[in-house]
Amino acid sequence: MIRKTVAVIVLVTALAAVFVASFLGAFHAPRPHDVPVAVVGPAPVVATLRAALDARVPGAFALTPYADERAARDALAAREVDAVLAPQAGRLVVASAAGRTGATVVTEAFQAAARAQGRPLAVEDAIPLPAGDAGGISGMFYVLALVVPGIAVALLLSRAAPGLGAGGRLAALVSAAVVAGAVNAWLADVAFGALPGHLPALAAVSAAVVLAIALAAAGLNRAAGPAGVAVAAMLFIPVGLPASGGPLGARFIPQWYAAVGQVLPVRQAADAVRNVVSFDGAALGVPLLVLGGWALLGVVLLTLPERRKAPAPEPVLVG
């Protein structure tokens, strides 16, 4: 009894340590790295500005020259850059919908550079956060509300219908994902107005996220039993959530951690939700590709033949 009690205490402590190390490791000292910014002007102007910024915050911004402001704004709407600087017009264009922290950091850095040159800099938020999400954190919690049901349905279905074949299990997971995605999207859009204006697209993306998570968890459960579901839960929540950048964004956490998040479904789910709600569905290719990869992994694991247990040895009769 004492040994089991000690084992439980050690396990819970280790679990808590994973959460603390993962979340604080990602968020305790946020610093920008390679934040893409379009600069309207010739390459020499961009080079001068880059040198000035690197002297203040090395490696924080990746500047790209654009011939005109229209093209730069199109790149902002397409999620190719996070801000647009038009030096001649004295204007900085941001998109707080892409990340409130990023817009604030970009604004402060470029306003400081403009003040150092004695030039005014007006700031325009071309793609603001929804009115119902002024703090910019609803998207993160919304994605978490998709991940948890995805893991849960895989685990509960394996317990409620252990004899269900691969086809029936896939149909059940698809049905659960569609229903959960539609209900969550309705709550986020209609009921609370936190992620408004694109209900059908939000419901479709939400269903895709739930399905990818559910298939991956179900496949790992088939391959490794409850331990497989535990691996999925740890990978997608205490690792995947902070590695996505959370409310800060992936460009404000350690780069190696952001690279891990790039291949996990949570980061891509967050990007997909944000791009549907605020950017008219731009830049969905990579998120859907990564989510599809996790879903495919789950399908492959679900369709693998079960390992047969070795038959018990026949009793030897003596006499």
Side-chain angles (χ1 to χ4, degrees), residues 7 30 61 71-72 74 81 99 145 176 195 241 268 271 306:
F61 302 101
D74 289 344
V81 298
L195 303 172
L241 195 58
Q268 303 302 337
D271 283 348
E306 285 191 273

Side-chain angles (χ1 to χ4, degrees), residues 221-241:
N221 179 66
R222 179 179 176 85
V229 179
V231 168
M234 294 294 290
L235 190 61
F236 296 156
I237 299 177
V239 175
L241 195 58

Side-chain angles (χ1 to χ4, degrees), residues 20-33 57-58 60 101 105 242 245 248-258:
V20 171
S22 185
F23 278 86
L24 296 190
F27 299 140
H28 80 286
R31 293 184 57 188
H33 55 83
V57 278
T101 298
V105 168
L248 300 182
R251 297 189 183 278
F252 293 86
I253 63 174
Q255 288 177 280
W256 69 268
Y257 214 174

Side-chain angles (χ1 to χ4, degrees), residues 205-222:
V205 164
S206 301
V209 173
V210 175
L211 182 59
I213 297 293
L215 283 171
L220 289 169
N221 179 66
R222 179 179 176 85

Side-chain angles (χ1 to χ4, degrees), residues 290-317:
V290 173
L291 290 171
W294 282 95
L296 179 60
L297 171 65
V299 170
V300 170
L301 292 176
L302 282 174
T303 54
L304 288 177
E306 285 191 273
R307 292 179 296 179
R308 294 184 178 180
K309 296 180 180 180
E314 295 183 4
V316 177
L317 300 178

Side-chain angles (χ1 to χ4, degrees), residues 138-159:
S138 294
M140 178 190 69
F141 288 105
Y142 182 76
V143 168
L144 181 60
L146 300 175
V147 171
V148 172
I151 296 171
V153 71
L155 180 61
L156 294 175
L157 189 62
S158 70
R159 297 294 180 268

